[in-house]
């Protein structure tokens, strides 16, 4: 039997590592885009170009106030009506598609339970913003399976919009009962090592006692390697040859350089991961020996 690598802290990326993100994103965004084009009469390419600038401004590809902020959607809105009311059908289609497609990846729940039963802390670090991350933690039922998650605070609502208006469920529905949220500074993006270093320090372990798992080579794997943590690539994440992926690239908040680099297959452009999960998150259990997260003596 191969010897397992001992580790004391598990840090995971969330989107497409522990739950499906791209698939629900594509289904929900396409539903929104189609609805907006139909109701406004503005062609999709024009909407896409404007959406990209808004996403880049706010550092997210799932900006909750898109409809309220898009100039090109205003002309079609009758006097006395808000854009949010006029485009309600499109927003509704987006939300139902998201709800329907959001789910954990195979084997994730079992694996997290197993790791936690060893006394190892499990922490998430995501570039996604607070609201949707919290919603996914609740929707996929991992509240409590993660000790904490680190993410940026929510983007600000545009002037004149009450964020409460978007939250149609009772306040309680958006609160996590067990998983703690820790803010990271706005604008710090992977592969910056700053946040992962902070997570490791917060848990009193060494980088080599930390395993970090993520599905994006140029962000997740590169960051873990910079920090000196055990880097693991979730190769089962997103298939970049999926033709649907192009839509995400066209509206992504990533810079052009990052979008191009992610697709660049020339040698040396993508970091080489130390460990690879080929088919499932569960493969972690056959690579690492999970030990209790005990703080080092100073
Ligand atoms: Mg990811």
């Amino acid at each position: 039997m191969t010897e397992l690598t001992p580790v004391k802290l598990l840090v995971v990326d969330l989107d497409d590592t522990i739950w499906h993100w791209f698939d629900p994103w594509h289904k929900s965004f396409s539903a929104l885009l189609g609805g907006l084009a139909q109701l406004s009469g503005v062609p999709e390419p024009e909407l896409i170009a404007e959406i990209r600038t808004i996403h880049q401004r706010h550092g997210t590809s799932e900006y909750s106030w898109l409809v309220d902020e898009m100039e090109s959607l205003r002309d079609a809105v009758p006097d006395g009506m808000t854009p949010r009311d006029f485009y309600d059908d499109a927003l509704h289609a987006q939300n139902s598609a998201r709800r329907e497609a959001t789910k954990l990846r195979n084997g994730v729940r079992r694996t997290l339970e197993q790791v936690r039963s060893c006394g190892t802390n499990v922490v998430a670090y995501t570039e996604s913003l607070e609201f949707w991350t919290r919603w996914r933690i609740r929707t996929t039922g991992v509240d409590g399976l993660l000790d904490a998650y680190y993410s940026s605070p929510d983007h600000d609502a545009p002037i004149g919009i009450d964020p409460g208006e978007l939250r149609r469920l009772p306040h309680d529905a958006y609160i996590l009962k067990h998983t703690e949220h820790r803010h990271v500074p706005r604008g710090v993006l992977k592969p910056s090592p700053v946040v992962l270093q902070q997570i490791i320090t917060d848990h009193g372990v060494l980088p080599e006692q930390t395993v970090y798992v993520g599905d994006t080579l140029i962000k997740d794997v590169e960051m873990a390697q910079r920090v000196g943590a055990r880097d693991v690539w979730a190769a089962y994440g997103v298939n970049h040859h999926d033709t649907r992926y192009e839509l995400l690239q066209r509206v992504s908040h990533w810079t052009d350089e990052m979008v191009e680099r992610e697709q660049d297959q020339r040698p040396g452009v993508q970091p080489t991961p130390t460990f690879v999960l080929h088919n499932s998150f569960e493969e972690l259990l056959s690579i690492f020996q999970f030990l209790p997260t005990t703080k080092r003596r100073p």
Side-chain angles (χ1 to χ4, degrees):
M1 201 179 137
T2 358
E3 209 163 298
L4 302 180
T5 304
V7 286
K8 292 184 164 185
L9 177 66
L10 172 59
V11 186
V12 294
D13 167 58
L14 291 173
D15 296 341
D16 287 314
T17 297
I18 80 157
W19 52 52
H20 292 269
W21 182 86
F22 173 69
D23 180 63
W25 178 87
H26 189 273
K27 286 175 174 147
S28 58
F29 187 81
S30 308
L32 174 71
L33 185 64
L36 295 179
Q38 196 181 15
L39 291 163
S40 66
V42 179
E44 286 191 12
E46 268 177 55
L47 296 175
I48 284 173
E50 190 182 1
I51 291 170
R52 176 100 199 261
T53 60
I54 295 176
H55 280 168
Q56 288 188 316
R57 185 155 65 235
H58 294 286
T60 174
S61 299
E62 46 186 352
Y63 183 55
S64 302
W65 293 283
L66 208 47
V67 162
D68 310 280
E69 208 165 306
M70 287 176 68
E71 298 281 344
S72 61
L73 295 178
R74 300 236 170 100
D75 281 354
V77 180
D79 286 344
M81 226 178 167
T82 64
R84 187 151 287 277
D85 287 335
F86 182 70
Y87 294 109
D88 187 58
D89 285 352
L91 290 163
H92 187 74
Q94 177 189 32
N95 284 328
S96 335
R98 183 192 284 120
R99 207 169 20 245
E100 199 158 307
T102 297
K103 54 185 181 223
L104 279 189
R105 287 188 172 273
N106 288 340
V108 166
R109 175 177 301 283
R110 261 195 311 275
T111 309
L112 293 181
E113 284 169 352
Q114 175 79 34
V115 170
R116 289 175 56 81
S117 75
C118 302
T120 314
N121 284 1
V122 182
V123 176
Y125 171 30
T126 181
E127 269 184 13
S128 279
L129 305 172
E130 185 178 350
F131 177 76
W132 288 115
T133 302
R134 213 163 51 216
W135 180 83
R136 288 189 187 94
I137 289 176
R138 282 190 67 103
T139 302
T140 61
V142 292
D143 187 9
L145 283 181
L146 304 172
D147 293 287
Y149 74 101
Y150 288 65
S151 79
S152 293
D154 263 333
H155 31 60
D156 300 317
I159 294 165
I161 300 291
D162 172 7
E165 282 175 25
L166 297 177
R167 320 293 201 230
R168 294 180 181 179
L169 297 171
H171 180 66
D172 202 34
Y174 301 102
I175 300 293
L176 297 182
K177 296 195 171 61
H178 307 287
T179 298
E180 185 193 340
H181 181 223
R182 297 196 188 174
H183 279 140
V184 311
R186 212 184 281 259
V188 176
L189 296 177
K190 301 172 185 179
S192 162
V194 172
V195 175
L196 184 53
Q197 273 159 348
Q198 185 63 49
I199 294 173
I200 292 171
T201 307
D202 288 350
H203 289 80
V205 295
L206 295 168
E208 61 269 29
Q209 296 171 322
T210 303
V211 51
Y212 179 89
V213 190
D215 67 296
T216 306
L217 287 169
I218 59 170
K219 286 181 168 265
D220 296 307
V221 169
E222 185 152 318
M223 171 182 70
Q225 291 182 349
R226 282 192 199 177
V227 170
R230 309 280 181 178
D231 62 285
V232 181
W233 181 39
Y236 55 75
V238 175
N239 174 6
H240 296 146
H241 304 297
D242 184 334
T243 50
R244 300 181 310 158
Y245 199 68
E246 197 193 314
L247 180 61
L248 177 58
Q249 293 174 318
R250 290 171 71 198
V251 296
S252 174
H253 66 285
W254 289 19
T255 60
D256 289 341
E257 189 208 347
M258 286 300 267
V259 168
E260 277 163 30
R261 197 179 147 208
E262 195 188 30
Q263 302 299 309
D264 193 337
Q265 294 307 317
R266 285 174 304 170
V269 175
Q270 309 284 331
T272 305
T274 308
F275 301 98
V276 180
L277 308 180
H278 296 278
N279 300 306
S280 143
F281 188 74
E282 210 162 4
E283 293 163 29
L284 267 185
L285 299 173
S286 53
I287 305 174
F288 297 101
Q289 179 193 13
F290 288 95
L291 300 171
T293 309
T294 42
K295 291 205 173 192
R296 285 179 301 136
R297 289 207 183 93

